[in-house]
Amino acid sequence: MRKLIITEFISVDGIAEVEKLPNVTWNDEMNAFKEDELADSGAMLLGRTTYEIFAGSWPSETGDFADRFNALPKFVASTSLKELDWKPGQLLAGPLPEAVASLKRTNGGNIYVHGSLSIARQLLSHGLVDRLRLLVYPGAVGQGKPLFPTEEPVALELISAVPFSNGVVALEYAPVAKG
């Protein structure tokens, strides 16, 4: 069974809008974190907006990381897109929770959700997330789109915490099953 892993850049106060995050210098530690994710990834799950942003930039990137990232199967949750230009890609059919639960039962390696905040919040609220991998930037932004659903608390168990030399902290959590 595949694991579903949310990966986000996030502020200390839980805001996951990249353009609002404090400026930090990308470093080798952050690169290694993303390389580890890519090595663990069998596919990506994206919402329409993130898909369009990625599809508009990643296909023209070059190098080993870009080649491997571009080759990953892409599953896209969208009611407005009719076809996907960034291959290999597949539109999810039906309600998101059922489509993702079915996808998790297939073979092919772990599925990473990049960005796609509305998708991430829905999957968290439906108990479909196995791990959260967060790069927490050193600062609070005060307002913006939060990662976590506001309707109900999300209990998390800390798996690892690794501070980086640029002030970013890599955190990995497992959601605690409701019960």
Side-chain angles (χ1 to χ4, degrees):
M1 183 166 200
R2 294 173 143 182
K3 288 183 182 173
L4 184 90
I5 302 164
I6 291 175
T7 180
E8 297 286 349
F9 300 106
I10 190 169
S11 64
V12 170
D13 57 345
I15 303 302
E17 288 184 72
V18 173
E19 59 277 355
K20 292 186 177 184
L21 295 175
N23 285 332
V24 298
T25 301
W26 189 270
N27 65 13
D28 290 341
E29 295 155 307
M30 293 173 75
N31 194 56
F33 181 88
K34 295 312 264 183
E35 284 281 353
D36 288 346
E37 284 184 347
L38 184 57
D40 183 55
S41 185
M44 62 179 93
L45 171 60
L46 306 168
R48 180 195 52 81
T49 302
T50 302
Y51 169 80
E52 289 177 337
I53 291 167
F54 281 17
S57 62
W58 275 105
S60 63
E61 294 293 323
T62 58
D64 180 60
F65 186 95
D67 292 346
R68 291 181 290 141
F69 194 75
N70 283 316
L72 285 173
K74 297 125 188 93
F75 297 98
V76 181
S78 173
T79 56
S80 59
L81 292 175
K82 301 301 178 216
E83 63 180 60
L84 303 176
D85 296 327
W86 189 26
K87 306 292 184 194
Q90 177 182 334
L91 287 165
L92 292 179
L96 182 67
E98 289 84 358
V100 171
S102 177
L103 188 58
K104 286 179 67 174
R105 290 189 295 269
T106 63
N107 294 322
N110 293 330
I111 304 161
Y112 276 76
V113 177
H114 298 268
S116 308
L117 292 177
S118 64
I119 302 296
R121 284 193 293 267
Q122 288 179 63
L123 297 174
L124 280 165
S125 67
H126 286 283
L128 291 166
V129 176
D130 298 294
R131 289 280 190 275
L132 289 108
R133 290 178 51 95
L134 308 174
L135 286 177
V136 182
Y137 279 56
V141 298
Q143 63 182 1
K145 295 178 184 174
L147 168 59
F148 297 100
T150 56
E151 305 81 47
E152 58 186 79
V154 176
L156 301 171
E157 175 186 351
L158 181 65
I159 304 299
S160 67
V162 179
F164 294 163
S165 59
N166 61 0
V168 170
V169 179
L171 298 175
E172 185 168 355
Y173 289 101
V176 176
K178 298 174 187 175

